[in-house]
Structures are given as C-alpha cells and as structure tokens.
Amino acid sequence: MSSRPLELASYQFFPQGDRDKILLEEDADGVWFDFQQADPTDKLYIQLFDQGFQYPPSKLYRADASFGQAESVTLTCELEAETSCDVQMFKMQYGQKKRMHSETEWLTVNGKTTCSLQLKRVKGADYFKIAFKFLLEGDRRVRLTALHVNRLVPIKQEESYHVI
C-alpha cells in the first residue's frame, strides 16, 4: 500500500457551480470554505483538483490525482462545521481525456467529522477527483483539516519453486 497526505492548500480546491457564493481561506489548521447567502437551490461544489467535472485534472495535479499502479484509492478527510450540514460527495474517475465513471455518497457534517471514500479503479481509469456538494442555507463556514490518500497496489504473484 502506498500512502501519503496531500498538502492542504487552497490552490488544490476549485469552487464549481455558484462560485460567487464560495470563498476559500487558508489558515494553519486547514482550508475554510465560506458560503455566503447560500440558498438550498444553489450549486455549491468544492472540487479537489482542477478542470470541469467532465475532464481529468490538468498536468499540474496529475501526480497527486493518479491511480498509478493501484487498483483502489482510499481518500480520508476531516471536515468541521459549527452547525450540521449535508454533503453529497462525488467520486469521479478519468481516462486521459474524459470522465469514465462517477459514484456518489452522502455525509452529514456535524462538528468534527471524519470521512473515508474508496474508489475501486474501473478499467482504463488513470486519474480520480472528489467533489463535495454542500447543501446549506445562509452564511456558513466549513473547514477541511486533514486529507490523506492511500493507494492499494496489488502484490505481483511469484511462481513457487520446490526443492527436491
């Protein structure tokens, strides 16, 4: 298994949807997502890595977003919110030019909440992205305080030898 934390920096996160209602702010403990005058009908997405949802990350992020030799990737993160909010999480996989697969999961963030997402690699996928869709109202702040990626690489089977 290959494991490493992703450096938490606001440049890795891209607002999508109603961008004018989302601000990003970094501090020593993580990245704050500030939602302003949110409405339940707003599309408030924060995406890990860049480009639109239909396209793989740009070359700038491909090392972090690559499956490499892994057959699955587990992304663990910690979100923190003062008041409860629901988050729809999109797990997306990409070939070299377009999205190949997408799944969703739901999470309720209430105080400090740990989230673990597993992406089982589909045939031909080279990269992954995660997007968070926040369902909330009014002015709200959510903080991401940890982000870690584990890649499960299969062990090559070796032939067995018998000594006689």
Side-chain angles (χ1 to χ4, degrees), residues 113-155:
T113 305
T114 300
C115 169
S116 183
L117 300 169
Q118 185 171 36
L119 291 91
K120 291 184 180 180
R121 186 179 194 172
V122 296
K123 186 176 180 178
D126 298 310
Y127 307 104
F128 67 91
K129 283 198 256 184
I130 302 294
F132 304 91
K133 181 181 182 185
F134 293 87
L135 300 147
L136 35 84
E137 284 187 64
D139 295 343
R140 303 280 291 280
R141 295 187 91 195
V142 178
R143 182 167 61 170
L144 179 68
T145 57
L147 183 64
H148 200 86
V149 175
N150 292 318
R151 290 173 176 84
L152 181 62
V153 179
I155 297 174

Side-chain angles (χ1 to χ4, degrees), residues 4 18 20 26 36 39-40 50 52 56 62 75 88 91 98 101 103 109 120 123 137-138 154:
R4 70 183 178 126
D18 296 318
D20 59 326
E26 251 178 278
Q36 301 177 352
D39 182 275
D50 64 354
R62 288 194 175 182
L75 185 131
Q88 185 177 14
K91 306 181 301 183
K98 65 179 182 172
H101 184 72
E103 296 177 75
V109 177
K120 291 184 180 180
K123 186 176 180 178
E137 284 187 64

Side-chain angles (χ1 to χ4, degrees), residues 55-57 59 62 94-100 124-127:
Y55 303 103
K59 290 180 183 177
R62 288 194 175 182
Y94 299 84
Q96 290 295 315
K97 297 188 187 267
K98 65 179 182 172
R99 185 168 62 185
M100 300 177 67
D126 298 310
Y127 307 104

Side-chain angles (χ1 to χ4, degrees), residues 5 7 12-13 15 37 49 56 65 74 84 122 130-132 135 137 147:
E7 183 178 326
Q12 292 177 309
F13 299 95
Q37 300 176 357
F49 309 129
T74 302
S84 180
V122 296
I130 302 294
F132 304 91
L135 300 147
E137 284 187 64
L147 183 64

Side-chain angles (χ1 to χ4, degrees), residues 49-104:
F49 309 129
D50 64 354
Q51 307 270 49
F53 294 146
Q54 293 302 318
Y55 303 103
S58 69
K59 290 180 183 177
L60 181 63
Y61 299 100
R62 288 194 175 182
D64 287 336
S66 174
F67 276 99
Q69 298 300 312
E71 56 186 40
S72 70
V73 168
T74 302
L75 185 131
T76 307
C77 65
E78 188 169 281
L79 294 164
E80 183 178 346
E82 290 179 5
T83 57
S84 180
C85 70
D86 290 325
V87 181
Q88 185 177 14
M89 298 167 296
F90 296 85
K91 306 181 301 183
M92 300 171 282
Q93 297 185 43
Y94 299 84
Q96 290 295 315
K97 297 188 187 267
K98 65 179 182 172
R99 185 168 62 185
M100 300 177 67
H101 184 72
S102 184
E103 296 177 75
T104 61

